[in-house]
Amino acid sequence: MSETMIEISDLTRNYGPTKALDGIGFQVQRGEVMGFLGPNGAGKTTAMRILAGILAPTEGSVHVAGLDMIANPVAARSKIGFLPESPPIYDEMTVREYLTYLAALRQVPKAKVRSAVEHTMERCGLKHTADRLLRNLSKGYRQRAGIAQAIVHSPEVVILDEPTVGLDPIQIREIRQLIRELGGEHSVLLSTHILPEVRVTCNRVAVINQGRIVANDTLEGLEQKASGTGAFFMRWRHPPELSVLQQVPGVARVGEKSGGWTITPVPGQDPIPELVQRSSSQGWDLRELLPAGESLEEIFLNLTTREEEAESLSSGPSKEV
Ligand code: ATP
């Protein structure tokens, strides 16, 4: 039976006139790795800091393992391990000293501190660096130490804010593997703006944009919903201007793809007969007409950008959005 470990309801946070969060809500079940995905400035860090109990919401509620973060913050915080964007690392300590210090700080019983530290180093692949100063670790190993400090007290909930930013591809692969392993024993909320990270580490994803949750589903669910839009792909030898396509009755959205266009119809309408007719009467010379399944990247762009932005992003150089 599933057990709700994180429950966020109607959460709002204002910074002066800026509404960083606008009534968001979602749940994470025991053992789940939930991706928290959104473009820069969407509100991810704000939500995670509230969830970690270090920032107060303007309105709304947060429960961790059934404990109310606002009414009972000390008990609720003890159920959480948090890796912020810039983890608190004490350069002059060794890995073992650092984890021992934090285990004691997080109320691990004295008799259990040693085994907790050894077990955590084992899980995070830090055993062979136990006696090295944190200052001398590579970026990837510093990040492992950051994750280790988040789990040394065996919290039920682990919150990771952009854990792979700035790492090289090998380090990224190792950290993602470690995150996958954390799911099962802990419930993990992982914020990122990197789609492949969600694909390889998460069971579910909540997409946030401009302070609002715009999707909350499994990856398969998101992909299924997108394929239900009736989008199709058309390619012509003499294609019309984008603005011409956008004005055809029944066309909701047009995106460039592989030398042709992906066209999403207005729900309930079918612009294909009109497009085929114009292809012939205007001399566009139709070459291909196929159903178009949307990739996760396209789904994300559609959820988080306006049409013009999606256009420039999807044809831009960066593949990792
Ligand atoms: P990123 O991926 O760039 O870190 P994010 O999704 O984590 O972005 P937040 O850092 O939560 O987004 O910011 C959400 C919004 O709130 C942004 O518009 C940001 O400029 C604003 N904001 C965040 N912190 C503050 C602050 N201390 N004062 C004023 N505005 C803030």
Side-chain angles (χ1 to χ4, degrees), residues 53-76:
I54 55 179
L55 182 72
T58 306
E59 275 171 51
S61 70
V62 174
H63 287 82
V64 179
L67 297 164
D68 186 329
M69 179 61 79
I70 292 147
N72 206 350
V74 176

Side-chain angles (χ1 to χ4, degrees), residues 8 22 30 51 130 143 236 241 256 271:
I8 285 181
D22 190 4
R30 181 181 285 281
L51 188 52
Q143 200 66 344
W236 295 272
E241 294 289 322
E256 195 172 2

